[in-house]
Amino acid sequence: MIRFPKVLVIDPDGNQLGTMSSRDAQLKANELGLDLYCVAPNAETPVCKILDYSKYRYEQKRKERESRKNQKTVEIKEIQLTPQISMHDLETKAKAANKFLLEGNRVRARVMFRGRQLTHIEVGEETLNKFLELCSENGELDKPPLLDGKWLNATIIPKKRK
């Protein structure tokens, strides 16, 4: 269903057959028992290729599936802390964060301030720095601690393995 008056035609081997009417190009494709597929419809002279369309679609899907298989999705895991967290709880959360980092995920550490705790942000920063120190074995700081409303956020990325 190509509606262009003139098209540049490429044969199945990749050789240019030149510019011809779309009707002649369709007849040429039918003669070879193949389909006419518009490869570049936005070109000055639209480019059409003579090919087996079902085989072309199969190869495209296979390439897409292969690229998806090789692609790794990176998730951002979140660890929430409070300024008054005990050392044991902090170590437990750091252990979980190290596990996430070893899996290749990013970790966002968040310290939540409630009520009057916002007047003593330095306590939360100390807690976050202790947490970052516990995670320094497997990760490195990507974004430094930043206060966002009642949250103090820092992002840790996994270290490059050799």
Side-chain angles (χ1 to χ4, degrees), residues 80-85 93 110-121 123-124 147-152:
Q80 291 187 7
L81 311 167
T82 58
Q84 285 80 24
I85 192 168
K93 290 192 181 240
R110 302 181 87 188
V111 179
M112 181 177 65
F113 297 101
R114 289 190 185 129
R116 294 182 188 165
Q117 291 175 341
L118 271 171
T119 58
H120 298 287
I121 294 171
V123 178
L147 188 66
D148 182 29
K150 64 178 184 174
W151 296 94
L152 184 64

Side-chain angles (χ1 to χ4, degrees), residues 79-82 84-97 127 130-131 134:
I79 303 284
Q80 291 187 7
L81 311 167
T82 58
Q84 285 80 24
I85 192 168
S86 68
M87 193 60 191
H88 181 265
D89 290 344
L90 190 67
E91 288 170 353
T92 304
K93 290 192 181 240
K95 187 177 177 183
T127 304
K130 284 180 195 171
F131 180 80
L134 291 171

Side-chain angles (χ1 to χ4, degrees), residues 126-145:
E126 267 181 51
T127 304
L128 190 57
N129 288 333
K130 284 180 195 171
F131 180 80
L132 295 172
E133 192 176 306
L134 291 171
C135 294
S136 64
E137 183 180 314
N138 297 316
E140 52 193 31
L141 193 63
D142 180 37
K143 291 184 182 172

